[in-house]
């Protein structure tokens, strides 16, 4: 992957994490600095209106109710008699990955580590570290980062995409979020093919 492709991938991941986390000023900053031709690659952006999007973000991802879609990985893992232990194990593993790489985002933002925005931001930090490893010509470290990225995508994102999509379909009403989820799911599935 070229340096430009890595930087583009980093911007893409950052945009996606902004949406999951409701960071609208940061989201707008990315698009303010983006060429109009590039904006066309983001089908959800044409439906962006900060006031409406903020309101529907709260309805879809923050306030439990008729339109609520959980933004947490642990909400989508298999349920069974060992559910509590499985969730705890997955959360501890994820926290361990964050600590191992010095990713303090969940603590800084005071969000649970299994929030999709947090996991997506973690992927962004891995891409950023990979860019640094490339610049330092540290192929060993770059390989370890690629393996970690593969693990996160395959363990924490891909398994829940079909369940997330099925759960979100009847609840997501705002076009921006409908387009965003379709884009996110497609992008993550393509990303997995690339890292596998």
């Amino acid at each position: 992957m070229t340096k430009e492709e890595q930087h583009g991938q980093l911007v893409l991941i950052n945009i996606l994490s902004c949406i999951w986390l409701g960071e609208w000023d940061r989201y707008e900053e990315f698009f303010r600095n983006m060429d109009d031709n590039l904006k066309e690659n983001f089908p959800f952006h044409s439906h962006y209106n900060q006031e409406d999007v903020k309101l529907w973000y709260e309805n879809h991802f923050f306030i439990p109710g008729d339109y609520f879609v959980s933004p947490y990985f642990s909400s989508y893992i298999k349920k069974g008699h060992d559910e509590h232990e499985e969730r705890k194990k997955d959360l501890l593993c994820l926290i361990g990955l964050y600590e191992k790489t010095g990713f303090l985002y969940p603590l800084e933002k005071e969000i649970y580590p299994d929030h999709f925005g947090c996991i997506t931001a973690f992927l962004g930090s891995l891409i950023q570290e990979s860019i640094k490893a490339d610049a330092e010509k540290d192929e060993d470290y770059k390989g370890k980062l690629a393996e970690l990225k593969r693990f996160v995508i395959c363990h924490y994102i891909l398994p829940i995409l079909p369940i997330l999509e099925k759960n979100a379909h009847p609840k997501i009403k705002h076009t921006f979020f409908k387009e965003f989820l379709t884009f996110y799911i497609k992008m993550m599935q393509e990303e997995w093919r690339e890292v596998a």
Side-chain angles (χ1 to χ4, degrees):
M1 185 178 286
T2 68
K3 186 177 177 179
E4 289 78 19
E5 288 172 329
Q6 286 179 318
H7 283 281
Q9 190 179 50
L10 181 59
V11 169
L12 172 62
I13 287 291
N14 285 334
I15 288 170
L16 298 176
S17 65
C18 283
I19 296 170
W20 275 119
L21 296 167
E23 296 177 345
W24 305 116
D25 292 339
R26 189 168 171 234
Y27 171 87
E28 288 178 4
E29 184 68 28
F30 279 115
F31 281 94
R32 200 173 8 261
N33 296 321
M34 189 181 291
D35 183 77
D36 287 340
N37 291 335
L38 280 177
K39 288 178 188 176
E40 293 174 12
N41 294 308
F42 299 92
F44 49 85
H45 185 66
S46 63
H47 304 284
Y48 179 77
N49 170 298
Q50 190 183 70
E51 191 175 310
D52 288 346
V53 167
K54 273 184 173 180
L55 174 68
W56 280 101
Y57 173 80
E58 298 287 320
N59 285 321
H60 289 316
F61 303 116
F62 197 69
I63 303 169
D66 292 343
Y67 302 110
F68 181 71
V69 176
S70 177
Y72 298 97
F73 166 80
S74 59
S75 298
Y76 297 96
I77 60 174
K78 292 181 182 176
K79 307 220 184 298
H81 70 290
D82 294 329
E83 174 187 352
H84 178 73
E85 283 305 310
E86 282 300 310
R87 285 183 185 199
K88 186 174 158 184
K89 189 172 109 180
D90 281 329
L91 265 171
L92 289 173
C93 181
L94 190 58
I95 291 167
L97 292 175
Y98 291 169
E99 286 178 355
K100 190 167 142 180
T101 60
F103 182 71
L104 302 175
Y105 195 82
L107 294 173
E108 293 167 356
K109 296 292 183 177
E110 297 180 358
I111 58 172
Y112 289 110
D114 68 329
H115 189 287
F116 295 138
C118 190
I119 296 171
T120 306
F122 181 57
L123 290 175
S125 77
L126 295 176
I127 294 167
Q128 197 163 9
E129 283 297 307
S130 184
I131 291 169
K132 288 179 191 173
D134 235 7
E136 296 168 4
K137 304 209 183 311
D138 189 343
E139 293 302 317
D140 183 49
Y141 184 49
K142 188 176 172 186
K144 288 177 182 174
L145 291 167
E147 186 59 38
L148 187 53
K149 182 180 171 189
R150 186 178 303 111
F151 176 78
V152 170
I153 290 172
C154 293
H155 188 78
Y156 292 101
I157 295 178
L158 285 180
I160 58 88
L161 291 179
I163 305 162
L164 172 64
E165 186 174 34
K166 181 180 176 187
N167 188 41
H169 181 73
K171 296 179 180 183
I172 298 288
K173 301 298 178 193
H174 194 277
T175 308
F176 175 86
F177 290 108
K178 283 182 184 180
E179 293 288 337
F180 162 70
L181 277 175
T182 300
F183 183 86
Y184 183 82
I185 290 167
K186 181 181 176 195
M187 199 280 303
M188 285 300 176
Q189 289 170 336
E190 288 174 1
E191 185 71 20
W192 175 76
R193 279 189 223 105
E194 184 180 303
V195 298

